[in-house]
mmCIF file of all heavy atoms in Angstrom:
data_model
loop_
_atom_site.group_PDB
_atom_site.id
_atom_site.type_symbol
_atom_site.label_atom_id
_atom_site.label_comp_id
_atom_site.label_asym_id
_atom_site.label_seq_id
_atom_site.Cartn_x
_atom_site.Cartn_y
_atom_site.Cartn_z
ATOM 1 N N ASP A 57 -1.982 8.527 11.534
ATOM 2 C CA ASP A 57 -0.818 9.082 10.848
ATOM 3 C C ASP A 57 -0.092 10.120 11.695
ATOM 4 O O ASP A 57 0.728 10.881 11.180
ATOM 5 C CB ASP A 57 -1.247 9.717 9.520
ATOM 6 C CG ASP A 57 -1.453 8.680 8.429
ATOM 7 O OD1 ASP A 57 -0.778 7.632 8.463
ATOM 8 O OD2 ASP A 57 -2.281 8.921 7.534
ATOM 9 N N VAL A 58 -0.404 10.182 12.977
ATOM 10 C CA VAL A 58 0.236 11.144 13.872
ATOM 11 C C VAL A 58 1.271 10.409 14.719
ATOM 12 O O VAL A 58 0.944 9.477 15.455
ATOM 13 C CB VAL A 58 -0.800 11.857 14.774
ATOM 14 C CG1 VAL A 58 -0.102 12.889 15.668
ATOM 15 C CG2 VAL A 58 -1.885 12.516 13.930
ATOM 16 N N ILE A 59 2.511 10.840 14.593
ATOM 17 C CA ILE A 59 3.622 10.261 15.351
ATOM 18 C C ILE A 59 3.922 11.205 16.509
ATOM 19 O O ILE A 59 4.307 12.355 16.302
ATOM 20 C CB ILE A 59 4.873 10.096 14.465
ATOM 21 C CG1 ILE A 59 4.562 9.216 13.253
ATOM 22 C CG2 ILE A 59 6.033 9.533 15.284
ATOM 23 C CD1 ILE A 59 5.655 9.195 12.199
ATOM 24 N N PHE A 60 3.711 10.716 17.711
ATOM 25 C CA PHE A 60 3.969 11.508 18.908
ATOM 26 C C PHE A 60 5.390 11.251 19.381
ATOM 27 O O PHE A 60 5.857 10.112 19.336
ATOM 28 C CB PHE A 60 3.002 11.112 20.029
ATOM 29 C CG PHE A 60 1.594 11.538 19.779
ATOM 30 C CD1 PHE A 60 0.751 10.774 18.984
ATOM 31 C CD2 PHE A 60 1.104 12.715 20.327
ATOM 32 C CE1 PHE A 60 -0.552 11.169 18.745
ATOM 33 C CE2 PHE A 60 -0.201 13.125 20.099
ATOM 34 C CZ PHE A 60 -1.028 12.347 19.297
ATOM 35 N N CYS A 61 6.054 12.309 19.844
ATOM 36 C CA CYS A 61 7.370 12.118 20.443
ATOM 37 C C CYS A 61 7.538 13.051 21.621
ATOM 38 O O CYS A 61 6.955 14.131 21.660
ATOM 39 C CB CYS A 61 8.491 12.280 19.421
ATOM 40 S SG CYS A 61 8.723 13.927 18.766
ATOM 41 N N LYS A 62 8.303 12.579 22.585
ATOM 42 C CA LYS A 62 8.561 13.394 23.775
ATOM 43 C C LYS A 62 9.531 14.520 23.453
ATOM 44 O O LYS A 62 9.519 15.554 24.101
ATOM 45 C CB LYS A 62 9.103 12.519 24.899
ATOM 46 C CG LYS A 62 8.194 11.348 25.236
ATOM 47 C CD LYS A 62 7.397 11.568 26.477
ATOM 48 C CE LYS A 62 6.355 10.507 26.634
ATOM 49 N NZ LYS A 62 6.361 9.766 27.828
ATOM 50 N N GLY A 63 10.359 14.308 22.446
ATOM 51 C CA GLY A 63 11.313 15.327 22.013
ATOM 52 C C GLY A 63 10.711 16.224 20.946
ATOM 53 O O GLY A 63 9.497 16.344 20.819
ATOM 54 N N THR A 64 11.575 16.816 20.162
ATOM 55 C CA THR A 64 11.137 17.710 19.098
ATOM 56 C C THR A 64 11.080 16.976 17.767
ATOM 57 O O THR A 64 11.679 15.907 17.603
ATOM 58 C CB THR A 64 12.107 18.897 18.952
ATOM 59 O OG1 THR A 64 13.388 18.383 18.551
ATOM 60 C CG2 THR A 64 12.233 19.679 20.253
ATOM 61 N N ALA A 65 10.380 17.573 16.815
ATOM 62 C CA ALA A 65 10.337 17.012 15.463
ATOM 63 C C ALA A 65 11.745 17.005 14.868
ATOM 64 O O ALA A 65 12.122 16.058 14.164
ATOM 65 C CB ALA A 65 9.379 17.815 14.595
ATOM 66 N N GLU A 66 12.513 18.027 15.165
ATOM 67 C CA GLU A 66 13.897 18.089 14.673
ATOM 68 C C GLU A 66 14.709 16.904 15.193
ATOM 69 O O GLU A 66 15.490 16.296 14.469
ATOM 70 C CB GLU A 66 14.538 19.407 15.113
ATOM 71 C CG GLU A 66 15.930 19.604 14.585
ATOM 72 C CD GLU A 66 16.478 20.958 14.984
ATOM 73 O OE1 GLU A 66 16.070 21.959 14.366
ATOM 74 O OE2 GLU A 66 17.301 21.007 15.928
ATOM 75 N N TRP A 67 14.508 16.569 16.470
ATOM 76 C CA TRP A 67 15.195 15.417 17.060
ATOM 77 C C TRP A 67 14.785 14.126 16.352
ATOM 78 O O TRP A 67 15.628 13.316 15.966
ATOM 79 C CB TRP A 67 14.866 15.348 18.552
ATOM 80 C CG TRP A 67 15.218 14.049 19.215
ATOM 81 C CD1 TRP A 67 16.454 13.651 19.621
ATOM 82 C CD2 TRP A 67 14.325 12.976 19.530
ATOM 83 N NE1 TRP A 67 16.391 12.396 20.176
ATOM 84 C CE2 TRP A 67 15.085 11.958 20.127
ATOM 85 C CE3 TRP A 67 12.955 12.783 19.366
ATOM 86 C CZ2 TRP A 67 14.525 10.763 20.563
ATOM 87 C CZ3 TRP A 67 12.396 11.604 19.805
ATOM 88 C CH2 TRP A 67 13.182 10.604 20.392
ATOM 89 N N LEU A 68 13.461 13.943 16.156
ATOM 90 C CA LEU A 68 12.975 12.702 15.556
ATOM 91 C C LEU A 68 13.397 12.560 14.099
ATOM 92 O O LEU A 68 13.614 11.449 13.626
ATOM 93 C CB LEU A 68 11.451 12.615 15.678
ATOM 94 C CG LEU A 68 10.810 11.324 15.177
ATOM 95 C CD1 LEU A 68 11.394 10.101 15.885
ATOM 96 C CD2 LEU A 68 9.302 11.383 15.350
ATOM 97 N N THR A 69 13.522 13.651 13.378
ATOM 98 C CA THR A 69 13.889 13.585 11.956
ATOM 99 C C THR A 69 15.391 13.694 11.727
ATOM 100 O O THR A 69 15.836 13.710 10.587
ATOM 101 C CB THR A 69 13.152 14.669 11.150
ATOM 102 O OG1 THR A 69 13.485 15.954 11.677
ATOM 103 C CG2 THR A 69 11.642 14.454 11.182
ATOM 104 N N SER A 70 16.176 13.748 12.802
ATOM 105 C CA SER A 70 17.632 13.822 12.652
ATOM 106 C C SER A 70 18.173 12.494 12.124
ATOM 107 O O SER A 70 17.558 11.437 12.318
ATOM 108 C CB SER A 70 18.291 14.157 13.993
ATOM 109 O OG SER A 70 18.200 13.062 14.883
ATOM 110 N N PRO A 71 19.323 12.533 11.463
ATOM 111 C CA PRO A 71 19.908 11.284 10.949
ATOM 112 C C PRO A 71 20.103 10.218 12.039
ATOM 113 O O PRO A 71 19.932 9.027 11.772
ATOM 114 C CB PRO A 71 21.255 11.737 10.373
ATOM 115 C CG PRO A 71 21.020 13.165 9.989
ATOM 116 C CD PRO A 71 20.096 13.707 11.048
ATOM 117 N N ALA A 72 20.412 10.626 13.247
ATOM 118 C CA ALA A 72 20.637 9.665 14.327
ATOM 119 C C ALA A 72 19.367 8.900 14.693
ATOM 120 O O ALA A 72 19.436 7.785 15.215
ATOM 121 C CB ALA A 72 21.181 10.384 15.560
ATOM 122 N N MET A 73 18.210 9.475 14.429
ATOM 123 C CA MET A 73 16.937 8.849 14.795
ATOM 124 C C MET A 73 16.218 8.232 13.601
ATOM 125 O O MET A 73 15.059 7.828 13.710
ATOM 126 C CB MET A 73 16.028 9.878 15.467
ATOM 127 C CG MET A 73 16.577 10.423 16.768
ATOM 128 S SD MET A 73 16.906 9.129 17.984
ATOM 129 C CE MET A 73 15.262 8.566 18.323
ATOM 130 N N ARG A 74 16.876 8.144 12.460
ATOM 131 C CA ARG A 74 16.230 7.658 11.240
ATOM 132 C C ARG A 74 15.554 6.303 11.430
ATOM 133 O O ARG A 74 14.420 6.107 11.024
ATOM 134 C CB ARG A 74 17.220 7.594 10.090
ATOM 135 C CG ARG A 74 16.593 7.032 8.825
ATOM 136 C CD ARG A 74 17.399 7.285 7.596
ATOM 137 N NE ARG A 74 16.927 6.587 6.429
ATOM 138 C CZ ARG A 74 15.757 6.738 5.845
ATOM 139 N NH1 ARG A 74 14.883 7.577 6.330
ATOM 140 N NH2 ARG A 74 15.430 6.054 4.751
ATOM 141 N N SER A 75 16.226 5.366 12.069
ATOM 142 C CA SER A 75 15.635 4.031 12.209
ATOM 143 C C SER A 75 14.392 4.069 13.096
ATOM 144 O O SER A 75 13.420 3.357 12.832
ATOM 145 C CB SER A 75 16.656 3.024 12.740
ATOM 146 O OG SER A 75 17.090 3.389 14.031
ATOM 147 N N VAL A 76 14.386 4.908 14.128
ATOM 148 C CA VAL A 76 13.205 5.036 14.984
ATOM 149 C C VAL A 76 12.052 5.637 14.183
ATOM 150 O O VAL A 76 10.907 5.161 14.258
ATOM 151 C CB VAL A 76 13.510 5.895 16.234
ATOM 152 C CG1 VAL A 76 12.237 6.198 17.013
ATOM 153 C CG2 VAL A 76 14.532 5.196 17.112
ATOM 154 N N LEU A 77 12.338 6.661 13.394
ATOM 155 C CA LEU A 77 11.299 7.284 12.575
ATOM 156 C C LEU A 77 10.730 6.278 11.574
ATOM 157 O O LEU A 77 9.510 6.187 11.406
ATOM 158 C CB LEU A 77 11.851 8.516 11.861
ATOM 159 C CG LEU A 77 10.864 9.291 10.997
ATOM 160 C CD1 LEU A 77 9.660 9.769 11.805
ATOM 161 C CD2 LEU A 77 11.577 10.478 10.338
ATOM 162 N N VAL A 78 11.581 5.503 10.938
ATOM 163 C CA VAL A 78 11.115 4.470 10.005
ATOM 164 C C VAL A 78 10.219 3.472 10.732
ATOM 165 O O VAL A 78 9.162 3.074 10.225
ATOM 166 C CB VAL A 78 12.319 3.764 9.326
ATOM 167 C CG1 VAL A 78 11.892 2.506 8.598
ATOM 168 C CG2 VAL A 78 13.021 4.727 8.379
ATOM 169 N N HIS A 79 10.624 3.073 11.916
ATOM 170 C CA HIS A 79 9.829 2.156 12.737
ATOM 171 C C HIS A 79 8.440 2.737 13.002
ATOM 172 O O HIS A 79 7.422 2.055 12.842
ATOM 173 C CB HIS A 79 10.571 1.894 14.058
ATOM 174 C CG HIS A 79 9.828 1.083 15.051
ATOM 175 N ND1 HIS A 79 9.910 -0.289 15.098
ATOM 176 C CD2 HIS A 79 8.980 1.442 16.051
ATOM 177 C CE1 HIS A 79 9.154 -0.738 16.088
ATOM 178 N NE2 HIS A 79 8.571 0.295 16.685
ATOM 179 N N GLU A 80 8.381 3.994 13.406
ATOM 180 C CA GLU A 80 7.094 4.630 13.708
ATOM 181 C C GLU A 80 6.236 4.773 12.456
ATOM 182 O O GLU A 80 5.017 4.575 12.514
ATOM 183 C CB GLU A 80 7.308 5.981 14.401
ATOM 184 C CG GLU A 80 8.070 5.905 15.712
ATOM 185 C CD GLU A 80 7.481 4.967 16.753
ATOM 186 O OE1 GLU A 80 6.268 4.679 16.719
ATOM 187 O OE2 GLU A 80 8.241 4.509 17.626
ATOM 188 N N VAL A 81 6.826 5.082 11.335
ATOM 189 C CA VAL A 81 6.065 5.174 10.077
ATOM 190 C C VAL A 81 5.467 3.810 9.733
ATOM 191 O O VAL A 81 4.327 3.726 9.266
ATOM 192 C CB VAL A 81 6.930 5.734 8.921
ATOM 193 C CG1 VAL A 81 6.243 5.561 7.580
ATOM 194 C CG2 VAL A 81 7.265 7.203 9.175
#
Side-chain angles (χ1 to χ4, degrees):
D57 281 330
V58 182
I59 302 170
F60 290 83
C61 68
K62 304 257 170 124
T64 64
E66 184 177 284
W67 166 79
L68 184 57
T69 59
S70 71
M73 297 302 293
R74 177 165 171 63
S75 63
V76 172
L77 182 58
V78 168
H79 174 90
E80 300 305 336
V81 168

